[in-house]
């Protein structure tokens, strides 16, 4: 009777050990699945952040190129406006010079007319 009880006890202990071993394996498998799922979830976020960072880097480079081109174009526009302003000043100078020449020529023409006509004849009354 004792030996049968001992055998039953040992059989139950072996069964419990097997159940514990199965539970331990299932817990390990579940923990592994959870860990993989968490890592995959984090990797998706990291991958998305990496893709976003690459897009931002590309956009920054594009913006730098465009800003450089804009600066060059602005410098050209400023140069063109300065040249135009200088040309306007020169036109103003030429116009002023032409007026001076015209006034001098009128003075000369008036003097020549006066000389050509001769002195005015006194009128007799």
């Amino acid at each position: 009777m004792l030996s049968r009880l001992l055998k039953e006890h040992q059989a139950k202990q072996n069964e419990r050990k097997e159940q514990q071993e199965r539970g331990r394996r299932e817990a390990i498998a579940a923990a592994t699945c959870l860990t993989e799922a968490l890592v995959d979830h984090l990797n998706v976020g990291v991958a998305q952040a990496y893709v976003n960072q690459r897009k931002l880097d590309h956009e920054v480079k594009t913006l730098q190129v465009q800003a450089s081109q804009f600066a060059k174009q602005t410098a050209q526009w400023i140069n063109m406006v300065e040249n135009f302003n200088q040309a306007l000043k020169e036109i103003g100078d030429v116009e002023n010079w032409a007026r001076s020449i015209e006034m001098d020529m009128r003075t000369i023409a008036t003097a020549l007319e006066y000389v050509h006509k001769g002195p005015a004849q006194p009128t007799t009354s």
Side-chain angles (χ1 to χ4, degrees):
M1 171 122 168
L2 270 173
S3 77
R4 188 174 55 102
L5 285 174
L6 181 63
K7 285 181 185 177
E8 285 177 12
H9 176 68
Q10 286 176 347
K12 285 182 183 180
Q13 271 188 329
N14 285 339
E15 189 178 318
R16 284 188 191 130
K17 282 182 184 179
E18 287 175 19
Q19 284 178 348
Q20 283 180 341
E21 185 63 28
R22 270 186 266 130
R24 188 179 69 79
R25 279 187 249 135
E26 289 173 3
I28 289 173
T32 301
C33 287
L34 175 65
T35 303
E36 287 176 0
L38 289 173
V39 168
D40 287 345
H41 180 70
L42 289 175
N43 282 343
V44 167
V46 169
Q48 186 62 43
Y50 178 73
V51 167
N52 290 344
Q53 183 64 38
R54 290 196 58 192
K55 286 180 183 178
L56 285 173
D57 289 343
H58 177 71
E59 290 296 324
V60 165
K61 288 178 184 176
T62 303
L63 183 61
Q64 286 174 337
V65 167
Q66 289 175 349
S68 175
Q69 289 173 346
F70 182 69
K72 287 178 186 176
Q73 190 175 26
T74 303
Q76 288 174 343
W77 289 345
I78 289 171
N79 191 28
M80 287 173 52
V81 168
E82 287 175 353
N83 289 341
F84 181 70
N85 193 26
Q86 184 62 32
L88 285 177
K89 286 180 183 177
E90 289 174 3
I91 288 172
D93 290 345
V94 168
E95 186 178 355
N96 190 29
W97 173 79
R99 282 189 191 135
S100 294
I101 295 293
E102 184 180 5
M103 294 286 273
D104 291 345
M105 295 306 275
R106 284 188 183 171
T107 304
I108 292 171
T110 304
L112 285 175
E113 272 183 42
Y114 180 73
V115 169
H116 179 67
K117 288 183 182 179
Q121 301 284 344
T123 54
T124 50
S125 331

